[in-house]
Amino acid sequence: MDLDPIFKRVFGDDEPERLGSGWWSGVTAVFFGMLGLFGALCLRYPEWLTTPSVRAAVPLALAHGLIQGSLALSFLAGLLSGLLRKRKVLGLTGVTFALLGSLIGSSAPPPAALGERGVFGLDWFALNLLLTALVFVPMERAFPLRPEQGPFRPGWTTDVAHFFVSHLLVQVSLFTTLAPARVMFGWAATPELRALASSQPLLLQFLEIVLVADLTEYAVHRLFHGVPFLWRFHAIHHSAQAMDWLAGSRLHLVDILLTRGLTFVPIFVLGFSEGAVYAYLVFVSFHAVFIHANVRLDMARLEDWIATPRFHHWHHSAAAEAVDRNFAVHLPAIDRIFGTHYAPKGRWPDSYGISTNPVPEGYVEQAVWPFTGRG
Ligand SMILES: [Zn+2]
Ligand SMILES: [Zn+2]
């Protein structure tokens, strides 16, 4: 049965339609993406696109739920199609509709106040993925380290799933990031200390946060490498065999929560101003992605001061001489001080990953792997 010749003409996709070819998931992605996008537009511009009687009959919360459901289904189906099908146009169209719908929907009046929205942030996920992709995809095209490596390299769907889950649970992880510091170190955060730290110029506070955060990150990161039980969680991050902007999000939830929770402790205790902390959060969300990116930029002059892709790519190298080196996220000087710096001038690693390669591919497999005795 030729379901939809228009579809084929519009998308220039003449591959087979049988089950498992990615055709049905692609069609599902486009259909629900359009539905969700339309629903989001209705939410955003109710006075133009909906009638008062419909508005009265459909509870806003239900409409939000259905639209978010359509967008999520479209997104997942789009990913599945992208995975199964050689031509990515159907899947990408569905994903684009889903992202657009999420963006438009997120600027619509919320069904309840922000604090009561629950723990899922599909809009946050969509916004972040879109913005990050908008910055890094063109950058990787313009200055590629490995030009032959496309955005759809092996393992990319696993990494999108990691990106998806960590952003979907943003409110949960924000809570677990802040709670341990508040509960355990509330006593240490005195008003005097806060007054002292937050009265400094913003730029100085920002630099201090970078230093304090990276000292903690260095210590926690080294523990993740040194303690066998913790290494099983961090090994997920090192299982990436191709480096690009998306590979950085390959992190086990235990890794994310422990690292973030502990890094926040000194920032909280010292009591920096909110503006300086936000500035750091924006910086770290860019920098942590950047150091994984598939880009070759001439940063020789900066390399001593700030972590570059070359510095962190060596951390992911499979070569024996680079194992357990370059633990810092922002400041290579910390590795120099503690004798763990490794970045031979002008050279890049040949390959990435763990030489024994014990970690399975796939999000669910990686989420449970540290708890199994395997590998
Ligand atoms: Zn590491
Ligand atoms: Zn990394």
Side-chain angles (χ1 to χ4, degrees):
M1 175 181 66
D2 197 0
L3 179 90
D4 204 338
I6 301 167
F7 241 78
K8 299 212 138 185
R9 212 173 314 139
V10 169
F11 292 101
D13 182 331
D14 47 11
E15 281 185 65
E17 298 174 14
R18 67 189 147 66
L19 221 59
S21 69
W23 165 255
W24 286 104
S25 50
V27 171
T28 306
V30 173
F31 176 73
F32 280 95
M34 274 161 48
L35 201 66
L37 180 58
F38 176 68
L41 283 167
C42 291
L43 281 183
R44 184 69 187 78
Y45 306 105
E47 68 280 17
W48 294 99
L49 294 171
T50 64
T51 59
S53 56
V54 172
R55 284 209 293 275
V58 182
L60 197 56
L62 178 69
H64 266 263
L66 287 174
I67 290 164
Q68 291 233 341
S70 301
L71 293 172
L73 179 63
S74 152
F75 188 84
L76 293 176
L79 283 189
L80 182 66
S81 174
L83 183 69
L84 293 171
R85 209 162 176 78
K86 239 190 259 120
R87 287 194 70 93
K88 314 288 182 198
V89 62
L90 269 176
L92 277 182
T93 307
V95 167
T96 308
F97 281 154
L99 291 178
L100 270 177
S102 299
L103 275 178
I104 293 166
S106 65
S107 62
L114 200 66
E116 298 158 28
R117 273 179 44 203
V119 295
F120 296 109
L122 188 66
D123 43 7
W124 170 245
F125 156 73
L127 187 69
N128 219 311
L129 185 63
L130 197 70
L131 285 180
T132 319
L134 270 178
V135 171
F136 286 99
V137 171
M139 194 197 287
E140 291 189 342
R141 289 228 147 180
F143 311 100
L145 168 66
R146 295 167 213 281
E148 71 286 358
Q149 176 186 306
F152 304 110
R153 40 83 187 165
W156 75 276
T157 45
T158 303
D159 293 348
V160 171
H162 277 285
F163 195 104
F164 183 59
V165 173
S166 62
H167 285 77
L168 206 60
L169 298 176
V170 66
Q171 266 133 325
V172 183
S173 64
L174 206 61
F175 176 75
T176 48
T177 302
L178 307 183
R182 292 226 166 98
V183 172
M184 290 187 287
F185 295 92
W187 55 270
T190 63
E192 293 80 15
L193 208 55
R194 165 166 287 276
L196 198 68
S198 62
S199 64
Q200 305 171 93
L202 209 63
L203 181 64
L204 192 61
Q205 287 189 57
F206 171 77
L207 295 175
E208 287 167 0
I209 295 176
V210 171
L211 175 65
V212 167
D214 211 20
L215 282 169
T216 321
E217 276 156 353
Y218 179 92
V220 177
H221 194 176
R222 222 173 145 166
L223 277 175
F224 266 110
H225 277 248
V227 179
F229 165 73
L230 290 175
W231 166 251
R232 292 186 66 84
F233 293 101
H234 189 57
I236 307 299
H237 185 60
H238 283 270
S239 70
Q241 302 200 358
M243 293 293 273
D244 61 11
W245 65 280
L246 205 48
S249 51
R250 180 181 284 239
L251 282 161
H252 197 279
L253 274 182
V254 170
D255 193 339
I256 298 178
L257 297 181
L258 216 57
T259 305
R260 279 196 202 157
L262 290 170
T263 306
F264 186 68
V265 168
I267 298 175
F268 166 73
V269 169
L270 290 172
F272 294 103
S273 71
E274 216 169 74
V277 175
Y278 276 124
Y280 173 70
L281 288 179
V282 172
F283 168 70
V284 70
S285 53
F286 169 82
H287 194 215
V289 176
F290 175 63
I291 57 179
H292 293 93
N294 177 27
V295 291
R296 180 201 289 268
L297 290 168
D298 183 15
M299 300 182 72
R301 286 192 185 179
L302 282 173
E303 271 183 347
D304 287 337
W305 298 95
I306 186 118
T308 60
R310 206 172 74 80
F311 173 81
H312 194 68
H313 277 223
W314 275 111
H315 179 67
H316 282 266
S317 165
E321 66 272 21
V323 170
D324 293 344
R325 294 285 181 266
N326 301 1
F327 294 110
V329 176
H330 306 305
L331 306 170
I334 301 177
D335 278 291
R336 285 197 195 276
I337 291 168
F338 292 105
T340 48
H341 187 276
Y342 184 80
K345 277 269 170 283
R347 276 180 50 211
W348 291 80
D350 297 326
S351 62
Y352 306 104
I354 308 166
S355 53
T356 51
N357 198 14
V359 179
E361 201 48 48
Y363 182 83
V364 178
E365 289 82 349
Q366 296 188 350
V368 298
W369 183 78
F371 301 103
T372 68
R374 276 176 276 137

